[in-house]
Amino acid sequence: MSGIGTGYDLSVSTFSPDGRVFQTDYAQKAVDNSGTVIGLRCKDGVVLGAEKTIISKMLVGGSDKRTYAIDKHAGVAVAGLSADGRQVVNRAIQEAQQYSNVYGDAIPGHVLADRIASYVHIFNLYWYVRPCGASTLLATYDTEGPQLYVIEPTGIALRFFGAAVGKGRQGAKTDIERLDLKELTCKQGIKEIAKILHTVHDEEKPFELEMAWICDESKKQFAKVPADLVQEADKAAKDALNSDIPRVAGVIKRAAISDWFGHRGKFVRNAKLTSAGRVQALPDPLSFSQSLAPISGVTLLGAEVLVAALFALILTAYGNRPRGWCDHSLVQVASSEVAGQGVFAVQWIPKGTAVGAYPGVPRKADSMLRKASLAPNSRRYVFQSTSHVWLDPTDQAGLLSPKLGFNPLGPSCDVSMAYMNEPPVGCAVNVEIVDGADSLDLRFVTTCDIHAGTELFIDYGKSYDRSAYR
């Protein structure tokens, strides 16, 4: 009964037998379903950026405010329920003013973060209130330098170099980890945030960017990022997403070509076949070819081109092979009271066990859109990896199918894990997705000990179709 929250989600003051407070979990879910908010602590300050979906063409730009100034040296960005976020902001402003009145100095960043967290935590203690459905990213610049804090609905306050909350948090965190924040300036951070928000945005509705910063450029005062810088970053992000050059024959490695042709000359690192059958270099800073040495008066043509193209096609086929597996000694697909079928534990499974990997054929965005238009039912099962590639476990009719293609490097694709459901209201997740050997090896790992017969639930991190739920 504790696994589905029945009887334990009526009050925030009630713990379930496995130590969960379901009302707090629901508040966190409200944050996870909201627009993405990102914060970066750069070498000269902190930048905050929010993704605000335009819900109506009649909506006046800037109406749904997500960034607020708390004091001259502090400000926040809010994700989740806007109304709850405003109450947290009002309390933060009161705390800053009270500290200044009593001590005659600006409130330190860590003190402000602790006081906001204490206020939020109060709503997790008493039965007659509900938790705040908002997470707060706090940016400060004081004697300790620029700092970034995240206050969660649970009342936890942590300090980060870079953080992301909201619907696209998983992909955003992966992109943030690739940044060298110790060398990144706030002006560069604006462009990086815009690029990340455009990358993780997975809805058809447009959105607007809202950004604020506190840095040396703003004279160490919290302020909105100038509109011209936001527009420039927004344009650069859109251009970057549209600048992916298609490569007909894929990436051809220098060592492989040199081994095949075994003669002197410089070869292209990235190449595609032209209509005349010649090799044409693509713009690439790593390209080291300026010319092709002739072989008996003939350039790289004929059999060499075919061998190179064949090798590139093999690499492409390897990358596009079906993914997905399931450990049937631990879990199995069975009839579910939630939605048709689900994944259940066959035996006791300890915490941290990988029970399978999400199945499907890798598809890029344009390919997935075409598939979804022809088979709308496929939208229920596709899943986007952290590398922004879609895994599609469905056939042409949009139904789950193990016959997704021939995989010469391993067994056929097992689509069992695609039957795993998100938890309905009153239930908690007991599985999370982590990257395995590569970004398309999305492994299902248990987050707690699971008893035999228990259904496995996961948070897919996006709006989930519950129309089939009972």
Side-chain angles (χ1 to χ4, degrees):
M1 186 167 68
S2 63
I4 60 175
T6 305
Y8 297 101
D9 61 348
L10 302 179
S11 172
V12 73
S13 61
T14 303
F15 279 92
S16 69
D18 57 354
R20 305 184 69 91
V21 179
F22 286 102
Q23 287 286 333
T24 304
D25 291 345
Y26 301 157
Q28 184 63 53
K29 188 67 175 178
V31 176
D32 295 342
N33 287 334
S34 70
T36 308
V37 177
I38 297 175
L40 298 179
R41 197 195 84 174
C42 306
K43 67 177 184 179
D44 59 340
V46 181
V47 184
L48 302 176
E51 166 202 21
K52 302 192 300 182
T53 302
I54 301 175
I55 59 177
S56 171
K57 295 181 180 179
M58 304 300 293
L59 184 68
V60 178
S63 297
D64 185 17
K65 191 175 181 182
R66 289 287 175 174
T67 59
Y68 301 86
I70 302 301
D71 203 340
K72 289 183 179 180
H73 72 295
V76 299
V78 177
L81 303 180
S82 299
D84 287 17
R86 286 198 303 270
Q87 297 306 312
V88 176
V89 169
N90 291 337
R91 180 58 179 239
I93 293 174
Q94 294 173 9
E95 293 289 351
Q97 291 176 345
Q98 181 184 26
Y99 188 96
S100 179
N101 293 336
V102 173
Y103 297 101
D105 198 5
I107 185 171
H110 68 278
V111 175
L112 180 59
D114 288 341
R115 291 192 177 187
I116 296 175
S118 298
Y119 172 74
V120 171
H121 184 234
I122 290 174
F123 293 87
N124 292 272
L125 300 178
Y126 304 106
W127 62 268
Y128 50 84
V129 293
R130 65 165 177 81
C132 292
S135 284
T136 307
L137 272 66
L138 171 65
T140 66
Y141 202 143
D142 51 25
T143 55
E144 296 182 359
Q147 304 293 341
L148 173 66
Y149 300 87
V150 177
I151 298 94
E152 299 178 352
T154 57
I156 295 175
L158 300 173
R159 189 167 62 176
F160 289 88
F161 293 104
V165 294
K167 186 179 299 183
R169 64 194 180 282
Q170 293 178 345
K173 288 177 181 177
T174 301
D175 292 339
I176 291 174
E177 289 172 356
R178 298 193 182 104
L179 301 177
D180 185 5
L181 296 176
K182 293 182 179 179
E183 299 298 329
L184 196 72
T185 64
C186 283
K187 282 191 173 181
Q188 295 170 333
I190 293 172
K191 296 181 179 180
E192 294 296 340
I193 289 179
K195 183 178 179 180
I196 293 173
L197 290 177
H198 275 281
T199 302
V200 301
H201 182 71
D202 60 353
E203 298 181 6
E204 296 180 358
K205 292 182 180 179
F207 73 96
E208 62 177 339
L209 293 174
E210 181 177 349
M211 292 192 179
W213 62 2
I214 180 168
C215 57
D216 297 337
E217 184 78 14
S218 66
K219 299 180 181 179
K220 299 182 181 180
Q221 296 185 1
F222 188 84
K224 296 282 189 182
V225 175
D228 56 336
L229 292 181
V230 176
Q231 293 174 359
E232 180 184 350
D234 190 35
K235 183 178 183 300
K238 293 177 180 178
D239 292 342
L241 291 178
N242 296 329
S243 63
D244 185 19
I245 303 175
R247 305 193 174 190
V248 176
V251 178
I252 304 177
K253 300 296 183 181
R254 174 188 182 187
I257 297 179
S258 300
D259 292 342
W260 286 341
F261 305 126
H263 65 88
R264 295 179 182 178
K266 299 178 180 179
F267 298 92
V268 290
R269 184 180 184 87
N270 297 321
K272 68 178 182 180
L273 302 182
T274 65
S275 58
R278 297 180 180 274
V279 173
Q280 174 182 343
L282 295 177
D284 191 330
L286 297 178
S287 177
F288 53 86
S289 174
Q290 298 178 354
S291 63
L292 294 173
I295 309 175
S296 302
V298 181
T299 56
L300 189 59
L301 293 172
E304 293 102 339
V305 171
L306 293 177
V307 173
L310 179 61
F311 180 70
L313 290 175
I314 293 174
L315 291 179
T316 302
Y318 174 73
N320 293 334
R321 71 190 187 280
R323 310 296 182 103
W325 57 273
C326 175
D327 189 343
H328 290 283
S329 66
L330 298 176
V331 296
Q332 67 178 1
V333 177
S335 178
S336 171
E337 295 181 358
V338 176
Q341 291 181 298
V343 179
F344 292 80
V346 176
Q347 59 178 323
W348 180 80
I349 305 175
K351 178 181 179 181
T353 302
V355 296
Y358 202 86
V361 175
R363 295 181 183 274
K364 291 189 177 180
D366 54 349
S367 174
M368 194 62 248
L369 288 174
R370 288 195 299 269
K371 171 68 178 293
S373 63
L374 297 175
N377 190 61
S378 63
R379 293 176 181 267
R380 295 181 56 193
Y381 300 106
V382 296
F383 186 79
Q384 189 180 29
S385 70
T386 54
S387 59
H388 313 300
V389 175
W390 295 91
L391 286 175
D392 176 19
T394 63
D395 56 17
Q396 294 300 319
L399 302 176
L400 289 177
S401 172
K403 299 179 180 179
L404 298 177
F406 176 66
N407 183 6
L409 301 173
S412 59
C413 178
D414 190 326
V415 297
S416 299
M417 303 310 294
Y419 286 99
M420 190 176 298
N421 297 313
E422 271 210 351
V425 175
C427 298
V429 299
N430 49 20
V431 175
E432 65 178 352
I433 291 181
V434 300
D435 285 344
D438 56 55
S439 61
L440 292 181
D441 182 14
L442 304 177
R443 300 192 177 185
F444 289 71
V445 179
T446 57
T447 59
C448 61
D449 294 342
I450 300 176
H451 297 282
T454 303
E455 183 170 1
L456 276 60
F457 292 120
I458 191 165
D459 177 10
Y460 288 108
K462 61 180 181 179
S463 298
Y464 194 70
D465 181 12
R466 289 185 171 85
S467 60
Y469 277 23
R470 299 172 182 172

